[in-house]
Amino acid sequence: MTAAAGGGQAREVLAVKFGHRVTTRAESYLNYHLYGEPDADLDIDYFFWVIRDGADVFLVDTGFAPEAGDRRRRAHYGTPAQALPLLGIDPADVTAIVITHAHWDHTGNVWQFPNAQVVMTEAEYAFWTSPMAARRHFAAHSEQEEIALLARRRDDGTLSLFTGQSTLAPGIELIEVGGHTAGQLIVTVAAPGGGTAVLASDALHFYEEVERDRPFAIVADLPAMYRAYDTLAQLASQPGTRLVAGHDPAVRDRFAGYAPAPPAEAAEAAEVQVTDLTRPHVG
Ligand SMILES: [Zn+2]
């Protein structure tokens, strides 16, 4: 289903913060001791992203499941099915789900969207359904049941795979970069008014990774992670193109807030914070 050109409202690109944790710099950056700086607390936000494009709604990742968040001691404020009504979106209207990578904080809640087509990279899917994924340093970051659900979706034909680059809709590109995981992808979204939002997901947890060339601590392929930073820096150098980091609270400073009146039935999800990624914060 694709919206007719010019029909409906302008494309919206939103970040929904649904969780939070306080971690440390030493836990977040690879071999932090190399920098010779004192450790310090570091706030980490958890987001999923929504692209509303006429009649189509694309969800980029699905956050973590509440029970997985509780087990891992992360604060959380709502699942996509609870948060989407805040944006006036019926979860049943989600057309497609992009899984940027298969870590637990991005693959929860897929079961809430039985009618949506799921899209991810072939490399990511192949990795997490291979024996290597059971090794501790990988398994620690995934939820087995959620991988199993993706495999069932593959079997029933509602999960599609690509390699390299894929067009989700006109102006929305999925680009495989790897590094953080075997097949990590980023999403570039042409926004109304001519800019481009780059949903980097965990190719860029914190802006500092690209801005100070500091790899994140969890990494499948370090040279690929550095190359992904180069790709992101190159994109960011283009006029009107803005990076959206995957876990950085600074996203909510760099972009404008989005504050529709929440309908009463969504009151339980009222703590989620929504940011408009088509509008840089000014002032
Ligand atoms: Zn993540």
Side-chain angles (χ1 to χ4, degrees):
M1 202 173 29
T2 302
Q9 54 198 132
R11 175 178 285 170
E12 291 180 328
V13 191
L14 307 170
V16 180
K17 176 195 167 185
F18 71 93
H20 178 255
R21 176 196 186 204
V22 179
T23 179
T24 64
R25 295 174 64 76
E27 259 189 49
S28 303
Y29 292 101
L30 185 67
N31 293 322
Y32 186 67
H33 61 88
L34 290 178
Y35 305 116
E37 295 173 9
D39 196 9
D41 283 350
L42 188 62
D43 287 297
I44 180 161
D45 281 355
Y46 293 85
F47 299 95
F48 58 84
W49 302 271
V50 180
I51 306 166
R52 178 154 44 181
D53 194 29
D56 284 332
V57 179
F58 304 117
L59 199 51
V60 178
D61 294 335
T62 48
F64 58 70
E67 39 308 349
D70 289 342
R71 205 184 328 119
R72 295 167 189 256
R73 299 177 192 281
R74 267 63 162 180
H76 52 88
Y77 319 118
T79 65
Q82 290 171 317
L84 289 175
L86 286 170
L87 311 171
I89 295 170
D90 181 343
D93 291 341
V94 172
T95 315
I97 296 171
V98 176
I99 295 291
T100 64
H101 66 301
H103 280 171
W104 72 282
D105 54 321
H106 299 257
T107 58
N109 312 305
V110 170
W111 65 268
Q112 294 177 334
F113 304 94
N115 301 319
Q117 185 74 18
V118 182
V119 185
M120 61 192 293
T121 67
E122 170 88 44
E124 189 71 5
Y125 182 83
F127 179 86
W128 291 103
T129 51
S130 76
M132 182 57 76
R135 305 295 278 269
R136 184 160 188 165
H137 279 256
F138 295 116
H141 307 298
S142 73
E143 289 285 330
Q144 240 177 355
E145 283 178 23
E146 293 168 6
I147 302 296
L149 175 60
L150 295 176
R152 287 200 298 280
R153 299 288 294 253
R154 180 68 181 149
D155 290 342
D156 72 21
T158 60
L159 185 150
S160 50
L161 303 173
F162 73 95
T163 295
Q165 187 162 343
S166 178
T167 301
L168 184 65
I172 307 176
E173 296 293 323
L174 313 181
I175 302 167
E176 178 176 2
V177 294
H180 175 55
T181 60
Q184 170 80 49
L185 67 81
I186 63 173
V187 186
T188 61
V189 189
T196 297
V198 180
L199 307 181
S201 179
D202 290 6
L204 177 68
H205 293 70
F206 297 104
Y207 286 107
E208 192 170 338
E209 291 162 48
V210 159
E211 292 172 0
R212 300 180 76 188
D213 205 30
R214 293 186 167 188
F216 190 72
I218 301 166
V219 52
D221 178 338
L222 184 55
M225 181 177 265
Y226 273 128
R227 284 192 295 271
Y229 294 157
D230 292 343
T231 298
L232 290 167
Q234 209 276 327
L235 286 167
S237 72
Q238 295 168 19
T241 299
R242 296 182 186 88
L243 302 183
V244 181
H247 286 277
D248 199 327
V251 166
R252 292 180 291 117
D253 301 325
R254 294 190 184 203
F255 295 92
Y258 180 91
E265 67 271 23
E268 77 268 27
E271 284 184 79
V272 301
Q273 288 176 282
V274 184
T275 304
D276 180 351
L277 303 175
T278 65
R279 292 194 302 137
H281 184 251
V282 276

